PDB file of all heavy atoms in Angstrom:
ATOM      1  N   ALA A1422     -25.522  -3.898 -11.493  1.00 34.00           N
ATOM      2  CA  ALA A1422     -26.214  -2.633 -11.346  1.00 34.00           C
ATOM      3  C   ALA A1422     -26.599  -2.344  -9.932  1.00 34.00           C
ATOM      4  O   ALA A1422     -26.340  -1.199  -9.373  1.00 34.00           O
ATOM      5  CB  ALA A1422     -27.495  -2.583 -12.211  1.00 34.00           C
ATOM      6  N   ALA A1423     -27.093  -3.328  -9.265  1.00 35.00           N
ATOM      7  CA  ALA A1423     -27.680  -3.141  -7.901  1.00 35.00           C
ATOM      8  C   ALA A1423     -26.692  -2.537  -6.881  1.00 35.00           C
ATOM      9  O   ALA A1423     -26.973  -1.508  -6.277  1.00 35.00           O
ATOM     10  CB  ALA A1423     -28.290  -4.424  -7.380  1.00 35.00           C
ATOM     11  N   PRO A1424     -25.544  -3.222  -6.662  1.00 34.00           N
ATOM     12  CA  PRO A1424     -24.736  -2.775  -5.444  1.00 34.00           C
ATOM     13  C   PRO A1424     -23.976  -1.526  -5.723  1.00 34.00           C
ATOM     14  O   PRO A1424     -23.128  -1.195  -4.897  1.00 34.00           O
ATOM     15  CB  PRO A1424     -23.825  -3.963  -5.292  1.00 34.00           C
ATOM     16  CG  PRO A1424     -23.800  -4.704  -6.589  1.00 34.00           C
ATOM     17  CD  PRO A1424     -24.885  -4.173  -7.421  1.00 34.00           C
ATOM     18  N   ARG A1425     -24.301  -0.763  -6.679  1.00 34.00           N
ATOM     19  CA  ARG A1425     -23.503   0.466  -6.952  1.00 34.00           C
ATOM     20  C   ARG A1425     -23.723   1.501  -5.812  1.00 34.00           C
ATOM     21  O   ARG A1425     -23.042   2.492  -5.732  1.00 34.00           O
ATOM     22  CB  ARG A1425     -23.996   1.131  -8.278  1.00 34.00           C
ATOM     23  CG  ARG A1425     -23.257   0.488  -9.472  1.00 34.00           C
ATOM     24  CD  ARG A1425     -21.829   1.075  -9.645  1.00 34.00           C
ATOM     25  NE  ARG A1425     -20.830   0.122 -10.012  1.00 34.00           N
ATOM     26  CZ  ARG A1425     -20.843  -0.544 -11.139  1.00 34.00           C
ATOM     27  NH1 ARG A1425     -21.732  -0.345 -12.003  1.00 34.00           N
ATOM     28  NH2 ARG A1425     -19.888  -1.412 -11.379  1.00 34.00           N
ATOM     29  N   ALA A1426     -24.754   1.225  -5.013  1.00 36.00           N
ATOM     30  CA  ALA A1426     -24.969   2.160  -3.908  1.00 36.00           C
ATOM     31  C   ALA A1426     -23.715   2.225  -2.980  1.00 36.00           C
ATOM     32  O   ALA A1426     -23.358   3.240  -2.519  1.00 36.00           O
ATOM     33  CB  ALA A1426     -26.213   1.713  -3.072  1.00 36.00           C
ATOM     34  N   GLN A1427     -23.107   1.074  -2.883  1.00 37.00           N
ATOM     35  CA  GLN A1427     -21.822   0.968  -2.151  1.00 37.00           C
ATOM     36  C   GLN A1427     -20.772   1.606  -3.050  1.00 37.00           C
ATOM     37  O   GLN A1427     -20.649   1.140  -4.162  1.00 37.00           O
ATOM     38  CB  GLN A1427     -21.487  -0.472  -1.863  1.00 37.00           C
ATOM     39  CG  GLN A1427     -20.385  -0.654  -0.921  1.00 37.00           C
ATOM     40  CD  GLN A1427     -20.777  -0.352   0.516  1.00 37.00           C
ATOM     41  OE1 GLN A1427     -21.916  -0.299   0.815  1.00 37.00           O
ATOM     42  NE2 GLN A1427     -19.791  -0.106   1.342  1.00 37.00           N
ATOM     43  N   PRO A1428     -20.072   2.620  -2.606  1.00 37.00           N
ATOM     44  CA  PRO A1428     -19.100   3.250  -3.522  1.00 37.00           C
ATOM     45  C   PRO A1428     -18.018   2.241  -3.930  1.00 37.00           C
ATOM     46  O   PRO A1428     -17.428   1.642  -2.961  1.00 37.00           O
ATOM     47  CB  PRO A1428     -18.581   4.384  -2.721  1.00 37.00           C
ATOM     48  CG  PRO A1428     -18.859   4.019  -1.303  1.00 37.00           C
ATOM     49  CD  PRO A1428     -20.100   3.178  -1.279  1.00 37.00           C
ATOM     50  N   PRO A1429     -17.829   2.019  -5.132  1.00 36.00           N
ATOM     51  CA  PRO A1429     -16.754   1.111  -5.522  1.00 36.00           C
ATOM     52  C   PRO A1429     -15.431   1.698  -5.038  1.00 36.00           C
ATOM     53  O   PRO A1429     -15.279   2.847  -5.007  1.00 36.00           O
ATOM     54  CB  PRO A1429     -16.804   1.066  -7.045  1.00 36.00           C
ATOM     55  CG  PRO A1429     -18.143   1.698  -7.381  1.00 36.00           C
ATOM     56  CD  PRO A1429     -18.454   2.595  -6.289  1.00 36.00           C
ATOM     57  N   SER A1430     -14.550   0.797  -4.723  1.00 38.00           N
ATOM     58  CA  SER A1430     -13.367   1.255  -4.160  1.00 38.00           C
ATOM     59  C   SER A1430     -12.261   1.385  -5.141  1.00 38.00           C
ATOM     60  O   SER A1430     -11.924   0.389  -5.822  1.00 38.00           O
ATOM     61  CB  SER A1430     -12.923   0.251  -3.017  1.00 38.00           C
ATOM     62  OG  SER A1430     -12.980  -1.000  -3.624  1.00 38.00           O
ATOM     63  N   ILE A1431     -11.692   2.488  -5.211  1.00 35.00           N
ATOM     64  CA  ILE A1431     -10.563   2.690  -6.183  1.00 35.00           C
ATOM     65  C   ILE A1431      -9.448   3.431  -5.406  1.00 35.00           C
ATOM     66  O   ILE A1431      -9.709   4.430  -4.739  1.00 35.00           O
ATOM     67  CB  ILE A1431     -10.983   3.576  -7.339  1.00 35.00           C
ATOM     68  CG1 ILE A1431     -12.215   2.965  -8.046  1.00 35.00           C
ATOM     69  CG2 ILE A1431      -9.837   3.735  -8.320  1.00 35.00           C
ATOM     70  CD1 ILE A1431     -11.985   1.661  -8.805  1.00 35.00           C
ATOM     71  N   PRO A1432      -8.245   2.953  -5.483  1.00 36.00           N
ATOM     72  CA  PRO A1432      -7.169   3.555  -4.695  1.00 36.00           C
ATOM     73  C   PRO A1432      -6.578   4.808  -5.441  1.00 36.00           C
ATOM     74  O   PRO A1432      -6.776   4.984  -6.581  1.00 36.00           O
ATOM     75  CB  PRO A1432      -6.146   2.475  -4.628  1.00 36.00           C
ATOM     76  CG  PRO A1432      -6.386   1.580  -5.756  1.00 36.00           C
ATOM     77  CD  PRO A1432      -7.830   1.694  -6.133  1.00 36.00           C
ATOM     78  N   ALA A1433      -5.812   5.472  -4.718  1.00 37.00           N
ATOM     79  CA  ALA A1433      -5.100   6.621  -5.251  1.00 37.00           C
ATOM     80  C   ALA A1433      -4.020   6.992  -4.267  1.00 37.00           C
ATOM     81  O   ALA A1433      -4.173   6.802  -3.119  1.00 37.00           O
ATOM     82  CB  ALA A1433      -5.963   7.778  -5.497  1.00 37.00           C
ATOM     83  N   VAL A1434      -2.959   7.555  -4.737  1.00 37.00           N
ATOM     84  CA  VAL A1434      -1.874   7.963  -3.824  1.00 37.00           C
ATOM     85  C   VAL A1434      -1.519   9.451  -4.104  1.00 37.00           C
ATOM     86  O   VAL A1434      -0.515   9.704  -4.633  1.00 37.00           O
ATOM     87  CB  VAL A1434      -0.639   7.120  -3.969  1.00 37.00           C
ATOM     88  CG1 VAL A1434       0.373   7.462  -2.905  1.00 37.00           C
ATOM     89  CG2 VAL A1434      -1.003   5.654  -3.887  1.00 37.00           C
ATOM     90  N   PRO A1435      -2.350  10.344  -3.712  1.00 37.00           N
ATOM     91  CA  PRO A1435      -1.903  11.643  -3.863  1.00 37.00           C
ATOM     92  C   PRO A1435      -0.821  11.960  -2.889  1.00 37.00           C
ATOM     93  O   PRO A1435      -0.791  11.398  -1.785  1.00 37.00           O
ATOM     94  CB  PRO A1435      -3.163  12.499  -3.496  1.00 37.00           C
ATOM     95  CG  PRO A1435      -4.273  11.507  -3.518  1.00 37.00           C
ATOM     96  CD  PRO A1435      -3.668  10.224  -3.167  1.00 37.00           C
ATOM     97  N   PRO A1436       0.107  12.708  -3.352  1.00 37.00           N
ATOM     98  CA  PRO A1436       1.350  12.896  -2.567  1.00 37.00           C
ATOM     99  C   PRO A1436       1.197  14.077  -1.626  1.00 37.00           C
ATOM    100  O   PRO A1436       0.538  15.101  -2.018  1.00 37.00           O
ATOM    101  CB  PRO A1436       2.378  13.206  -3.590  1.00 37.00           C
ATOM    102  CG  PRO A1436       1.578  13.918  -4.707  1.00 37.00           C
ATOM    103  CD  PRO A1436       0.145  13.399  -4.595  1.00 37.00           C
ATOM    104  N   GLU A1437       1.807  13.993  -0.493  1.00 39.00           N
ATOM    105  CA  GLU A1437       2.005  15.180   0.270  1.00 39.00           C
ATOM    106  C   GLU A1437       2.785  14.801   1.536  1.00 39.00           C
ATOM    107  O   GLU A1437       2.611  13.687   2.031  1.00 39.00           O
ATOM    108  CB  GLU A1437       0.688  15.887   0.661  1.00 39.00           C
ATOM    109  CG  GLU A1437       0.013  15.177   1.795  1.00 39.00           C
ATOM    110  CD  GLU A1437      -1.461  15.091   1.555  1.00 39.00           C
ATOM    111  OE1 GLU A1437      -2.050  16.084   1.113  1.00 39.00           O
ATOM    112  OE2 GLU A1437      -2.020  13.994   1.741  1.00 39.00           O
ATOM    113  N   ALA A1438       3.476  15.779   1.997  1.00 40.00           N
ATOM    114  CA  ALA A1438       4.153  15.533   3.269  1.00 40.00           C
ATOM    115  C   ALA A1438       3.141  15.720   4.334  1.00 40.00           C
ATOM    116  O   ALA A1438       2.181  16.445   4.188  1.00 40.00           O
ATOM    117  CB  ALA A1438       5.260  16.579   3.469  1.00 40.00           C
ATOM    118  N   PRO A1439       3.289  14.918   5.411  1.00 41.00           N
ATOM    119  CA  PRO A1439       2.298  14.980   6.474  1.00 41.00           C
ATOM    120  C   PRO A1439       2.060  16.436   6.962  1.00 41.00           C
ATOM    121  O   PRO A1439       0.945  16.749   7.333  1.00 41.00           O
ATOM    122  CB  PRO A1439       2.903  14.159   7.533  1.00 41.00           C
ATOM    123  CG  PRO A1439       3.903  13.258   6.874  1.00 41.00           C
ATOM    124  CD  PRO A1439       4.356  13.988   5.646  1.00 41.00           C
ATOM    125  N   GLU A1440       3.057  17.255   6.930  1.00 40.00           N
ATOM    126  CA  GLU A1440       2.845  18.587   7.482  1.00 40.00           C
ATOM    127  C   GLU A1440       2.413  19.629   6.492  1.00 40.00           C
ATOM    128  O   GLU A1440       2.001  20.748   6.848  1.00 40.00           O
ATOM    129  CB  GLU A1440       4.112  18.981   8.225  1.00 40.00           C
ATOM    130  CG  GLU A1440       5.079  19.811   7.403  1.00 40.00           C
ATOM    131  CD  GLU A1440       5.742  19.085   6.322  1.00 40.00           C
ATOM    132  OE1 GLU A1440       5.294  17.941   6.035  1.00 40.00           O
ATOM    133  OE2 GLU A1440       6.712  19.573   5.701  1.00 40.00           O
ATOM    134  N   THR A1441       2.578  19.368   5.255  1.00 38.00           N
ATOM    135  CA  THR A1441       2.189  20.394   4.272  1.00 38.00           C
ATOM    136  C   THR A1441       0.730  20.575   4.122  1.00 38.00           C
ATOM    137  O   THR A1441      -0.005  19.620   4.339  1.00 38.00           O
ATOM    138  CB  THR A1441       2.763  20.070   2.880  1.00 38.00           C
ATOM    139  OG1 THR A1441       2.509  18.703   2.619  1.00 38.00           O
ATOM    140  CG2 THR A1441       4.254  20.372   2.759  1.00 38.00           C
ATOM    141  N   ALA A1442       0.351  21.739   3.788  1.00 38.00           N
ATOM    142  CA  ALA A1442      -1.036  21.956   3.597  1.00 38.00           C
ATOM    143  C   ALA A1442      -1.558  21.135   2.461  1.00 38.00           C
ATOM    144  O   ALA A1442      -0.867  21.001   1.457  1.00 38.00           O
ATOM    145  CB  ALA A1442      -1.346  23.424   3.281  1.00 38.00           C
ATOM    146  N   THR A1443      -2.729  20.527   2.589  1.00 37.00           N
ATOM    147  CA  THR A1443      -3.219  19.669   1.569  1.00 37.00           C
ATOM    148  C   THR A1443      -4.074  20.454   0.627  1.00 37.00           C
ATOM    149  O   THR A1443      -5.150  20.926   0.989  1.00 37.00           O
ATOM    150  CB  THR A1443      -4.056  18.532   2.243  1.00 37.00           C
ATOM    151  OG1 THR A1443      -3.340  18.004   3.284  1.00 37.00           O
ATOM    152  CG2 THR A1443      -4.383  17.472   1.192  1.00 37.00           C
TER     153      THR A1443
END
Side-chain angles (χ1 to χ4, degrees):
Chain A
R1425 279 278 141 67
Q1427 190 74 17
S1430 48
I1431 305 290
V1434 188
E1437 78 222 313
E1440 93 290 11
T1441 44
T1443 313

